[in-house]
Amino acid sequence: MMTDFDMPVFVIRDWFWQIGADQSRYWSSAAGAYVAEAQEGRITVVPSLEDLQAALAQLGLSAPSE
């Protein structure tokens, strides 16, 4: 069972984003690029590329173009 001490701290500038059901790559906000692997517990699934682009743009972070 996970405790509060096991929960990762959400740092948007160092997070991984899965777009839809595609688990073959993750957008890394720290790297500003797609990566093949993401750190467990630090992944947020977003419904679409457009949703991710809009969310990261509001924070001034780079987002994938495709």
Short mmCIF file of all heavy atoms in Angstrom, two decimals:
data_model
loop_
_atom_site.label_atom_id
_atom_site.label_comp_id
_atom_site.label_asym_id
_atom_site.label_seq_id
_atom_site.Cartn_x
_atom_site.Cartn_y
_atom_site.Cartn_z
N MET A 1 0.84 -1.18 0.00
CA MET A 1 0.00 0.00 0.00
C MET A 1 0.88 1.25 0.00
O MET A 1 1.86 1.33 0.72
CB MET A 1 -0.89 -0.01 1.24
CG MET A 1 -1.82 1.15 1.32
SD MET A 1 -3.03 0.84 2.61
CE MET A 1 -3.30 2.47 3.16
N MET A 2 0.53 2.23 -0.81
CA MET A 2 1.30 3.46 -0.93
C MET A 2 0.89 4.42 0.19
O MET A 2 -0.28 4.59 0.47
CB MET A 2 1.05 4.09 -2.29
CG MET A 2 1.97 5.25 -2.59
SD MET A 2 1.75 5.90 -4.26
CE MET A 2 2.71 4.73 -5.18
N THR A 3 1.87 5.03 0.81
CA THR A 3 1.60 6.02 1.85
C THR A 3 1.83 7.41 1.28
O THR A 3 2.32 7.56 0.16
CB THR A 3 2.53 5.82 3.06
OG1 THR A 3 3.87 6.16 2.66
CG2 THR A 3 2.48 4.40 3.58
N ASP A 4 1.48 8.42 2.06
CA ASP A 4 1.71 9.80 1.63
C ASP A 4 3.19 10.05 1.35
O ASP A 4 3.54 10.87 0.51
CB ASP A 4 1.21 10.79 2.68
CG ASP A 4 -0.30 10.83 2.76
OD1 ASP A 4 -0.96 10.38 1.80
OD2 ASP A 4 -0.82 11.32 3.77
N PHE A 5 4.06 9.35 2.05
CA PHE A 5 5.48 9.55 1.86
C PHE A 5 5.99 8.93 0.57
O PHE A 5 7.05 9.28 0.09
CB PHE A 5 6.26 9.00 3.06
CG PHE A 5 5.96 9.73 4.33
CD1 PHE A 5 5.20 9.14 5.32
CD2 PHE A 5 6.41 11.03 4.53
CE1 PHE A 5 4.91 9.83 6.49
CE2 PHE A 5 6.13 11.72 5.69
CZ PHE A 5 5.37 11.12 6.67
N ASP A 6 5.23 8.00 0.00
CA ASP A 6 5.61 7.36 -1.25
C ASP A 6 5.13 8.12 -2.48
O ASP A 6 5.56 7.84 -3.58
CB ASP A 6 5.03 5.95 -1.32
CG ASP A 6 5.58 5.04 -0.24
OD1 ASP A 6 6.75 5.21 0.13
OD2 ASP A 6 4.83 4.18 0.23
N MET A 7 4.22 9.05 -2.29
CA MET A 7 3.64 9.77 -3.41
C MET A 7 4.65 10.75 -4.00
O MET A 7 5.30 11.49 -3.28
CB MET A 7 2.40 10.56 -2.96
CG MET A 7 1.29 9.69 -2.41
SD MET A 7 0.53 8.65 -3.65
CE MET A 7 -0.25 9.87 -4.66
N PRO A 8 4.80 10.74 -5.33
CA PRO A 8 5.73 11.70 -5.94
C PRO A 8 5.17 13.12 -5.86
O PRO A 8 3.96 13.32 -5.85
CB PRO A 8 5.81 11.24 -7.40
CG PRO A 8 4.54 10.49 -7.63
CD PRO A 8 4.16 9.89 -6.30
N VAL A 9 6.06 14.06 -5.76
CA VAL A 9 5.66 15.47 -5.75
C VAL A 9 5.48 15.90 -7.20
O VAL A 9 6.34 15.64 -8.05
CB VAL A 9 6.73 16.34 -5.06
CG1 VAL A 9 6.39 17.80 -5.17
CG2 VAL A 9 6.88 15.92 -3.60
N PHE A 10 4.35 16.52 -7.49
CA PHE A 10 4.08 16.96 -8.86
C PHE A 10 4.87 18.23 -9.16
O PHE A 10 4.63 19.28 -8.58
CB PHE A 10 2.58 17.21 -9.05
CG PHE A 10 2.24 17.68 -10.43
CD1 PHE A 10 2.28 16.81 -11.51
CD2 PHE A 10 1.87 18.98 -10.66
CE1 PHE A 10 1.96 17.24 -12.79
CE2 PHE A 10 1.53 19.43 -11.94
CZ PHE A 10 1.59 18.54 -12.99
N VAL A 11 5.83 18.10 -10.05
CA VAL A 11 6.64 19.23 -10.52
C VAL A 11 6.45 19.27 -12.03
O VAL A 11 7.02 18.45 -12.76
CB VAL A 11 8.13 19.08 -10.15
CG1 VAL A 11 8.93 20.25 -10.69
CG2 VAL A 11 8.30 18.93 -8.66
N ILE A 12 5.64 20.19 -12.50
CA ILE A 12 5.25 20.19 -13.92
C ILE A 12 6.43 20.33 -14.86
O ILE A 12 6.41 19.84 -15.97
CB ILE A 12 4.18 21.27 -14.19
CG1 ILE A 12 3.49 20.98 -15.52
CG2 ILE A 12 4.79 22.67 -14.16
CD1 ILE A 12 2.18 21.67 -15.71
N ARG A 13 7.49 20.97 -14.42
CA ARG A 13 8.67 21.13 -15.28
C ARG A 13 9.50 19.86 -15.37
O ARG A 13 10.46 19.79 -16.13
CB ARG A 13 9.53 22.28 -14.78
CG ARG A 13 8.82 23.61 -14.88
CD ARG A 13 9.75 24.76 -14.53
NE ARG A 13 9.05 26.02 -14.38
CZ ARG A 13 8.48 26.72 -15.34
NH1 ARG A 13 8.50 26.26 -16.57
NH2 ARG A 13 7.88 27.86 -15.09
N ASP A 14 9.15 18.85 -14.59
CA ASP A 14 9.86 17.57 -14.58
C ASP A 14 8.85 16.44 -14.47
O ASP A 14 8.78 15.74 -13.47
CB ASP A 14 10.86 17.53 -13.42
CG ASP A 14 11.77 16.32 -13.48
OD1 ASP A 14 11.82 15.64 -14.53
OD2 ASP A 14 12.42 16.02 -12.46
N TRP A 15 8.02 16.29 -15.51
CA TRP A 15 6.92 15.33 -15.48
C TRP A 15 6.84 14.63 -16.81
O TRP A 15 7.45 15.04 -17.79
CB TRP A 15 5.61 16.06 -15.19
CG TRP A 15 4.58 15.18 -14.55
CD1 TRP A 15 3.46 14.67 -15.15
CD2 TRP A 15 4.57 14.71 -13.22
NE1 TRP A 15 2.76 13.91 -14.25
CE2 TRP A 15 3.42 13.92 -13.05
CE3 TRP A 15 5.43 14.87 -12.13
CZ2 TRP A 15 3.10 13.29 -11.86
CZ3 TRP A 15 5.11 14.25 -10.94
CH2 TRP A 15 3.96 13.47 -10.81
N PHE A 16 6.10 13.54 -16.85
CA PHE A 16 5.91 12.76 -18.07
C PHE A 16 4.44 12.74 -18.43
O PHE A 16 3.58 12.64 -17.57
CB PHE A 16 6.41 11.32 -17.86
CG PHE A 16 7.87 11.26 -17.54
CD1 PHE A 16 8.31 11.23 -16.22
CD2 PHE A 16 8.83 11.25 -18.54
CE1 PHE A 16 9.65 11.17 -15.91
CE2 PHE A 16 10.18 11.21 -18.25
CZ PHE A 16 10.59 11.16 -16.93
N TRP A 17 4.18 12.82 -19.73
CA TRP A 17 2.82 12.91 -20.24
C TRP A 17 2.59 11.82 -21.27
O TRP A 17 3.33 11.71 -22.24
CB TRP A 17 2.60 14.28 -20.88
CG TRP A 17 3.02 15.38 -19.95
CD1 TRP A 17 4.27 15.94 -19.86
CD2 TRP A 17 2.24 16.03 -18.97
NE1 TRP A 17 4.30 16.89 -18.89
CE2 TRP A 17 3.05 16.97 -18.32
CE3 TRP A 17 0.91 15.90 -18.57
CZ2 TRP A 17 2.59 17.77 -17.30
CZ3 TRP A 17 0.46 16.72 -17.55
CH2 TRP A 17 1.29 17.64 -16.93
N GLN A 18 1.56 11.02 -21.05
CA GLN A 18 1.16 10.00 -22.01
C GLN A 18 -0.03 10.55 -22.78
O GLN A 18 -1.00 11.00 -22.18
CB GLN A 18 0.76 8.72 -21.28
CG GLN A 18 0.24 7.64 -22.20
CD GLN A 18 -0.23 6.43 -21.43
OE1 GLN A 18 0.42 6.00 -20.48
NE2 GLN A 18 -1.36 5.88 -21.83
N ILE A 19 0.04 10.50 -24.08
CA ILE A 19 -1.05 11.02 -24.91
C ILE A 19 -1.97 9.88 -25.31
O ILE A 19 -1.56 8.96 -26.02
CB ILE A 19 -0.49 11.75 -26.15
CG1 ILE A 19 0.41 12.90 -25.70
CG2 ILE A 19 -1.63 12.24 -27.03
CD1 ILE A 19 1.18 13.56 -26.80
N GLY A 20 -3.19 9.93 -24.81
CA GLY A 20 -4.16 8.87 -25.08
C GLY A 20 -3.67 7.54 -24.56
O GLY A 20 -3.08 7.44 -23.49
N ALA A 21 -3.88 6.50 -25.37
CA ALA A 21 -3.49 5.14 -24.97
C ALA A 21 -2.08 4.76 -25.42
O ALA A 21 -1.64 3.64 -25.18
CB ALA A 21 -4.50 4.14 -25.54
N ASP A 22 -1.37 5.67 -26.07
CA ASP A 22 -0.03 5.39 -26.61
C ASP A 22 1.00 5.29 -25.49
O ASP A 22 1.42 6.30 -24.93
CB ASP A 22 0.37 6.49 -27.59
CG ASP A 22 1.73 6.24 -28.23
OD1 ASP A 22 2.33 5.17 -27.98
OD2 ASP A 22 2.19 7.11 -28.98
N GLN A 23 1.40 4.05 -25.18
CA GLN A 23 2.41 3.84 -24.15
C GLN A 23 3.79 3.58 -24.74
O GLN A 23 4.70 3.16 -24.04
CB GLN A 23 2.00 2.68 -23.24
CG GLN A 23 0.75 2.96 -22.45
CD GLN A 23 0.37 1.81 -21.54
OE1 GLN A 23 0.83 0.69 -21.70
NE2 GLN A 23 -0.48 2.10 -20.58
N SER A 24 3.96 3.89 -26.03
CA SER A 24 5.25 3.66 -26.68
C SER A 24 6.22 4.82 -26.47
O SER A 24 7.42 4.68 -26.67
CB SER A 24 5.07 3.41 -28.17
OG SER A 24 4.61 4.59 -28.83
N ARG A 25 5.67 5.99 -26.08
CA ARG A 25 6.52 7.15 -25.83
C ARG A 25 5.77 8.11 -24.91
O ARG A 25 4.54 8.09 -24.82
CB ARG A 25 6.90 7.85 -27.13
CG ARG A 25 5.72 8.40 -27.91
CD ARG A 25 6.15 8.99 -29.21
NE ARG A 25 5.02 9.65 -29.88
CZ ARG A 25 5.13 10.42 -30.92
NH1 ARG A 25 6.32 10.66 -31.44
NH2 ARG A 25 4.08 10.99 -31.47
N TYR A 26 6.54 8.93 -24.22
CA TYR A 26 6.00 9.88 -23.26
C TYR A 26 6.65 11.23 -23.52
O TYR A 26 7.83 11.30 -23.82
CB TYR A 26 6.32 9.44 -21.82
CG TYR A 26 5.82 8.05 -21.52
CD1 TYR A 26 6.62 6.93 -21.78
CD2 TYR A 26 4.55 7.85 -21.01
CE1 TYR A 26 6.16 5.66 -21.51
CE2 TYR A 26 4.08 6.57 -20.74
CZ TYR A 26 4.89 5.49 -21.01
OH TYR A 26 4.42 4.22 -20.75
N TRP A 27 5.89 12.30 -23.37
CA TRP A 27 6.47 13.62 -23.48
C TRP A 27 7.09 13.96 -22.12
O TRP A 27 6.44 13.86 -21.08
CB TRP A 27 5.43 14.67 -23.86
CG TRP A 27 6.05 16.02 -24.00
CD1 TRP A 27 6.00 17.05 -23.10
CD2 TRP A 27 6.84 16.48 -25.09
NE1 TRP A 27 6.71 18.12 -23.57
CE2 TRP A 27 7.24 17.79 -24.79
CE3 TRP A 27 7.25 15.91 -26.29
CZ2 TRP A 27 8.03 18.55 -25.66
CZ3 TRP A 27 8.04 16.67 -27.14
CH2 TRP A 27 8.41 17.96 -26.82
N SER A 28 8.35 14.33 -22.12
CA SER A 28 9.05 14.74 -20.91
C SER A 28 9.14 16.25 -20.89
O SER A 28 9.76 16.85 -21.77
CB SER A 28 10.45 14.13 -20.88
OG SER A 28 11.24 14.76 -19.89
N SER A 29 8.51 16.87 -19.91
CA SER A 29 8.59 18.33 -19.84
C SER A 29 9.99 18.78 -19.46
O SER A 29 10.40 19.88 -19.81
CB SER A 29 7.53 18.89 -18.88
OG SER A 29 7.63 18.30 -17.61
N ALA A 30 10.76 17.94 -18.77
CA ALA A 30 12.14 18.30 -18.42
C ALA A 30 13.04 18.27 -19.66
O ALA A 30 13.85 19.17 -19.86
CB ALA A 30 12.68 17.35 -17.36
N ALA A 31 12.87 17.25 -20.49
CA ALA A 31 13.70 17.11 -21.68
C ALA A 31 13.18 17.93 -22.85
O ALA A 31 13.93 18.25 -23.77
CB ALA A 31 13.79 15.65 -22.09
N GLY A 32 11.88 18.24 -22.82
CA GLY A 32 11.28 18.94 -23.96
C GLY A 32 11.26 18.06 -25.19
O GLY A 32 11.37 18.54 -26.32
N ALA A 33 11.12 16.75 -24.97
CA ALA A 33 11.15 15.78 -26.07
C ALA A 33 10.43 14.51 -25.64
O ALA A 33 10.19 14.30 -24.45
CB ALA A 33 12.60 15.44 -26.42
N TYR A 34 10.13 13.68 -26.63
CA TYR A 34 9.57 12.37 -26.32
C TYR A 34 10.68 11.47 -25.79
O TYR A 34 11.83 11.54 -26.24
CB TYR A 34 8.97 11.73 -27.57
CG TYR A 34 7.62 12.28 -27.95
CD1 TYR A 34 7.46 13.07 -29.08
CD2 TYR A 34 6.49 12.00 -27.18
CE1 TYR A 34 6.22 13.56 -29.45
CE2 TYR A 34 5.25 12.50 -27.54
CZ TYR A 34 5.12 13.27 -28.66
OH TYR A 34 3.89 13.77 -29.02
N VAL A 35 10.33 10.62 -24.84
CA VAL A 35 11.25 9.62 -24.30
C VAL A 35 10.55 8.27 -24.35
O VAL A 35 9.32 8.19 -24.37
CB VAL A 35 11.71 9.96 -22.86
CG1 VAL A 35 12.53 11.24 -22.84
CG2 VAL A 35 10.52 10.08 -21.92
N ALA A 36 11.33 7.19 -24.37
CA ALA A 36 10.76 5.85 -24.47
C ALA A 36 10.26 5.33 -23.13
O ALA A 36 9.36 4.50 -23.08
CB ALA A 36 11.80 4.89 -25.04
N GLU A 37 10.83 5.82 -22.05
CA GLU A 37 10.46 5.35 -20.72
C GLU A 37 10.17 6.53 -19.81
O GLU A 37 10.79 7.59 -19.94
CB GLU A 37 11.57 4.50 -20.11
CG GLU A 37 11.84 3.23 -20.88
CD GLU A 37 12.96 2.40 -20.25
OE1 GLU A 37 13.40 2.71 -19.13
OE2 GLU A 37 13.39 1.44 -20.91
N ALA A 38 9.24 6.32 -18.89
CA ALA A 38 8.89 7.36 -17.92
C ALA A 38 8.98 6.78 -16.52
O ALA A 38 8.78 5.58 -16.32
CB ALA A 38 7.48 7.87 -18.18
N GLN A 39 9.29 7.65 -15.59
CA GLN A 39 9.41 7.21 -14.20
C GLN A 39 8.04 6.86 -13.65
O GLN A 39 7.09 7.64 -13.73
CB GLN A 39 10.05 8.32 -13.37
CG GLN A 39 10.35 7.91 -11.96
CD GLN A 39 11.09 9.01 -11.21
OE1 GLN A 39 11.45 10.03 -11.77
NE2 GLN A 39 11.30 8.79 -9.94
N GLU A 40 7.92 5.65 -13.12
CA GLU A 40 6.65 5.18 -12.56
C GLU A 40 6.14 6.16 -11.51
O GLU A 40 6.89 6.67 -10.70
CB GLU A 40 6.83 3.80 -11.94
CG GLU A 40 5.55 3.18 -11.45
CD GLU A 40 5.75 1.80 -10.89
OE1 GLU A 40 6.75 1.14 -11.22
OE2 GLU A 40 4.88 1.37 -10.12
N GLY A 41 4.86 6.42 -11.56
CA GLY A 41 4.25 7.34 -10.60
C GLY A 41 4.35 8.80 -10.99
O GLY A 41 3.85 9.66 -10.29
N ARG A 42 5.02 9.08 -12.10
CA ARG A 42 5.19 10.47 -12.54
C ARG A 42 4.67 10.66 -13.95
O ARG A 42 5.24 11.37 -14.76
CB ARG A 42 6.66 10.87 -12.46
CG ARG A 42 7.18 10.78 -11.03
CD ARG A 42 8.56 11.24 -10.92
NE ARG A 42 8.56 12.68 -11.16
CZ ARG A 42 9.63 13.44 -11.09
NH1 ARG A 42 10.78 12.90 -10.81
NH2 ARG A 42 9.56 14.72 -11.30
N ILE A 43 3.55 9.99 -14.24
CA ILE A 43 2.94 10.04 -15.57
C ILE A 43 1.51 10.53 -15.45
O ILE A 43 0.76 10.04 -14.62
CB ILE A 43 2.93 8.65 -16.24
CG1 ILE A 43 4.35 8.07 -16.31
CG2 ILE A 43 2.30 8.72 -17.62
CD1 ILE A 43 4.37 6.60 -16.67
N THR A 44 1.16 11.48 -16.28
CA THR A 44 -0.23 11.92 -16.39
C THR A 44 -0.69 11.60 -17.80
O THR A 44 0.00 11.90 -18.77
CB THR A 44 -0.36 13.43 -16.13
OG1 THR A 44 0.04 13.69 -14.78
CG2 THR A 44 -1.79 13.90 -16.33
N VAL A 45 -1.85 10.97 -17.90
CA VAL A 45 -2.44 10.66 -19.21
C VAL A 45 -3.34 11.82 -19.62
O VAL A 45 -4.18 12.25 -18.84
CB VAL A 45 -3.25 9.35 -19.15
CG1 VAL A 45 -3.88 9.05 -20.51
CG2 VAL A 45 -2.38 8.19 -18.69
N VAL A 46 -3.11 12.33 -20.82
CA VAL A 46 -3.97 13.39 -21.36
C VAL A 46 -4.71 12.81 -22.56
O VAL A 46 -4.19 11.96 -23.27
CB VAL A 46 -3.15 14.64 -21.76
CG1 VAL A 46 -2.56 15.31 -20.54
CG2 VAL A 46 -2.07 14.32 -22.75
N PRO A 47 -5.93 13.27 -22.80
CA PRO A 47 -6.74 12.68 -23.87
C PRO A 47 -6.18 12.89 -25.28
O PRO A 47 -6.34 12.02 -26.13
CB PRO A 47 -8.09 13.38 -23.74
CG PRO A 47 -8.09 14.07 -22.43
CD PRO A 47 -6.67 14.25 -22.02
N SER A 48 -5.54 14.02 -25.52
CA SER A 48 -5.09 14.31 -26.89
C SER A 48 -3.85 15.19 -26.89
O SER A 48 -3.54 15.86 -25.91
CB SER A 48 -6.20 15.02 -27.67
OG SER A 48 -6.38 16.33 -27.18
N LEU A 49 -3.19 15.20 -28.03
CA LEU A 49 -2.03 16.07 -28.23
C LEU A 49 -2.43 17.53 -28.04
O LEU A 49 -1.70 18.30 -27.41
CB LEU A 49 -1.45 15.85 -29.63
CG LEU A 49 -0.32 16.78 -30.05
CD1 LEU A 49 0.88 16.62 -29.13
CD2 LEU A 49 0.08 16.50 -31.49
N GLU A 50 -3.58 17.91 -28.57
CA GLU A 50 -4.04 19.29 -28.46
C GLU A 50 -4.24 19.71 -26.99
O GLU A 50 -3.93 20.84 -26.61
CB GLU A 50 -5.34 19.48 -29.25
CG GLU A 50 -5.17 19.35 -30.75
CD GLU A 50 -5.07 17.89 -31.24
OE1 GLU A 50 -5.42 16.96 -30.48
OE2 GLU A 50 -4.62 17.70 -32.38
N ASP A 51 -4.74 18.78 -26.17
CA ASP A 51 -4.92 19.09 -24.75
C ASP A 51 -3.57 19.33 -24.07
O ASP A 51 -3.42 20.25 -23.27
CB ASP A 51 -5.66 17.95 -24.04
CG ASP A 51 -7.11 17.85 -24.42
OD1 ASP A 51 -7.73 18.90 -24.69
OD2 ASP A 51 -7.64 16.73 -24.45
N LEU A 52 -2.58 18.50 -24.40
CA LEU A 52 -1.25 18.67 -23.82
C LEU A 52 -0.63 19.98 -24.28
O LEU A 52 -0.06 20.73 -23.48
CB LEU A 52 -0.34 17.50 -24.17
CG LEU A 52 1.07 17.57 -23.62
CD1 LEU A 52 1.07 17.70 -22.10
CD2 LEU A 52 1.88 16.37 -24.07
N GLN A 53 -0.73 20.27 -25.57
CA GLN A 53 -0.18 21.52 -26.10
C GLN A 53 -0.79 22.73 -25.39
O GLN A 53 -0.09 23.65 -25.01
CB GLN A 53 -0.42 21.60 -27.60
CG GLN A 53 0.40 20.63 -28.40
CD GLN A 53 -0.05 20.53 -29.85
OE1 GLN A 53 -1.22 20.72 -30.17
NE2 GLN A 53 0.89 20.22 -30.74
N ALA A 54 -2.10 22.72 -25.22
CA ALA A 54 -2.78 23.85 -24.58
C ALA A 54 -2.36 24.00 -23.13
O ALA A 54 -2.09 25.12 -22.66
CB ALA A 54 -4.29 23.66 -24.67
N ALA A 55 -2.27 22.90 -22.41
CA ALA A 55 -1.90 22.96 -20.99
C ALA A 55 -0.47 23.48 -20.80
O ALA A 55 -0.22 24.35 -19.97
CB ALA A 55 -2.06 21.58 -20.35
N LEU A 56 0.46 22.94 -21.57
CA LEU A 56 1.86 23.36 -21.41
C LEU A 56 2.10 24.77 -21.92
O LEU A 56 2.92 25.51 -21.36
CB LEU A 56 2.79 22.35 -22.11
CG LEU A 56 2.79 20.93 -21.52
CD1 LEU A 56 3.74 20.04 -22.30
CD2 LEU A 56 3.14 20.94 -20.04
N ALA A 57 1.36 25.18 -22.94
CA ALA A 57 1.51 26.55 -23.46
C ALA A 57 1.12 27.58 -22.42
O ALA A 57 1.76 28.64 -22.32
CB ALA A 57 0.66 26.72 -24.72
N GLN A 58 0.11 27.29 -21.62
CA GLN A 58 -0.31 28.23 -20.58
C GLN A 58 0.78 28.45 -19.55
O GLN A 58 0.81 29.48 -18.88
CB GLN A 58 -1.57 27.70 -19.87
CG GLN A 58 -2.80 27.74 -20.71
CD GLN A 58 -4.02 27.22 -19.95
OE1 GLN A 58 -3.94 26.84 -18.81
NE2 GLN A 58 -5.15 27.21 -20.64
N LEU A 59 1.69 27.47 -19.42
CA LEU A 59 2.77 27.57 -18.44
C LEU A 59 4.11 27.95 -19.07
O LEU A 59 5.12 28.00 -18.39
CB LEU A 59 2.90 26.24 -17.72
CG LEU A 59 1.63 25.83 -16.97
CD1 LEU A 59 1.69 24.37 -16.59
CD2 LEU A 59 1.43 26.72 -15.76
N GLY A 60 4.10 28.19 -20.38
CA GLY A 60 5.33 28.57 -21.06
C GLY A 60 6.30 27.43 -21.25
O GLY A 60 7.50 27.66 -21.44
N LEU A 61 5.80 26.19 -21.24
CA LEU A 61 6.66 25.02 -21.43
C LEU A 61 6.54 24.53 -22.87
O LEU A 61 5.49 24.65 -23.50
CB LEU A 61 6.25 23.89 -20.48
CG LEU A 61 6.43 24.20 -19.00
CD1 LEU A 61 5.83 23.08 -18.16
CD2 LEU A 61 7.89 24.39 -18.66
N SER A 62 7.62 23.95 -23.37
CA SER A 62 7.57 23.42 -24.74
C SER A 62 6.69 22.18 -24.77
O SER A 62 6.59 21.43 -23.80
CB SER A 62 8.98 23.09 -25.24
OG SER A 62 9.59 22.12 -24.44
N ALA A 63 6.02 22.01 -25.90
CA ALA A 63 5.11 20.90 -26.10
C ALA A 63 5.41 20.24 -27.44
O ALA A 63 5.99 20.87 -28.33
CB ALA A 63 3.67 21.40 -26.06
N PRO A 64 5.01 18.99 -27.59
CA PRO A 64 5.25 18.33 -28.87
C PRO A 64 4.41 18.95 -29.97
O PRO A 64 3.31 19.43 -29.73
CB PRO A 64 4.82 16.88 -28.60
CG PRO A 64 3.88 16.96 -27.46
CD PRO A 64 4.32 18.13 -26.63
N SER A 65 4.96 18.94 -31.18
CA SER A 65 4.20 19.48 -32.31
C SER A 65 3.42 18.37 -33.01
O SER A 65 2.51 18.64 -33.77
CB SER A 65 5.13 20.17 -33.30
OG SER A 65 6.10 19.26 -33.77
N GLU A 66 3.81 17.14 -32.78
CA GLU A 66 3.10 15.99 -33.36
C GLU A 66 3.20 14.80 -32.47
O GLU A 66 3.97 14.69 -31.58
CB GLU A 66 3.61 15.66 -34.73
CG GLU A 66 5.10 15.38 -34.77
CD GLU A 66 5.57 15.04 -36.15
OE1 GLU A 66 5.77 15.96 -36.95
OE2 GLU A 66 5.69 13.84 -36.45
#
